Amino acid sequence: QVQLVESGGGLVQAGASLRLSCASSGDTTGLYDMGWLRQAPGKGREFVASITWNAGITMYGESVEGRFTISRDGAKNMMYLQLNSLKPEDTAVYYCAARYSFDDEYNYWGQGTQVTVSS
């Protein structure tokens, strides 16, 4: 199993940047990938980005492509999400998630970190 803890959220103005961090502990050696998902008030959970743990292959949701960058540091068991050119519609709770197989849903989650973007 893997445990996940997010940090780095906050309140910023439109156009600003933030970096979110996800610290992982436990069994990270067998992870297939880790991802960031977000949930805005009154909306469903939305895929933001993912990165395969070994090869570092990235994927992005359409609404963040070109503005957000996902990365990981395997030696430190850390994953990051750089958020640039933030928009009010990026306001959400951002969750770090992990899975051990491509065939699985994300089944390990952090507690979430709030990102609020004011106009």
Side-chain angles (χ1 to χ4, degrees), residues 1-5 22-28 34 100 108-110:
Q1 290 190 346
V2 64
Q3 293 79 44
L4 306 171
V5 178
C22 176
S24 59
S25 60
D27 182 12
T28 60
M34 292 179 66
Y100 287 95
Y108 296 91
W109 295 84

Side-chain angles (χ1 to χ4, degrees), residues 50-66:
S50 66
I51 186 165
T52 59
W53 196 243
N54 289 328
I57 298 170
T58 59
M59 292 182 63
Y60 293 92
E62 190 175 313
S63 62
V64 307
E65 180 108 47

Side-chain angles (χ1 to χ4, degrees), residues 54-108:
N54 289 328
I57 298 170
T58 59
M59 292 182 63
Y60 293 92
E62 190 175 313
S63 62
V64 307
E65 180 108 47
R67 298 188 298 122
F68 293 6
T69 303
I70 190 170
S71 62
R72 90 260 189 259
D73 184 335
K76 296 180 179 179
N77 287 333
M78 295 292 296
M79 181 178 67
Y80 306 98
L81 186 69
Q82 179 67 40
L83 295 72
N84 295 331
S85 302
L86 281 161
K87 304 175 182 180
E89 52 263 43
D90 293 318
T91 295
V93 177
Y94 285 69
Y95 296 92
C96 169
R99 57 183 174 175
Y100 287 95
S101 169
F102 175 78
D103 294 326
D104 290 339
E105 300 286 335
Y106 285 113
N107 46 14
Y108 296 91

Side-chain angles (χ1 to χ4, degrees), residues 12-16 85-88 117-119:
V12 297
Q13 290 190 328
S85 302
L86 281 161
K87 304 175 182 180
V117 185
S118 63
S119 57

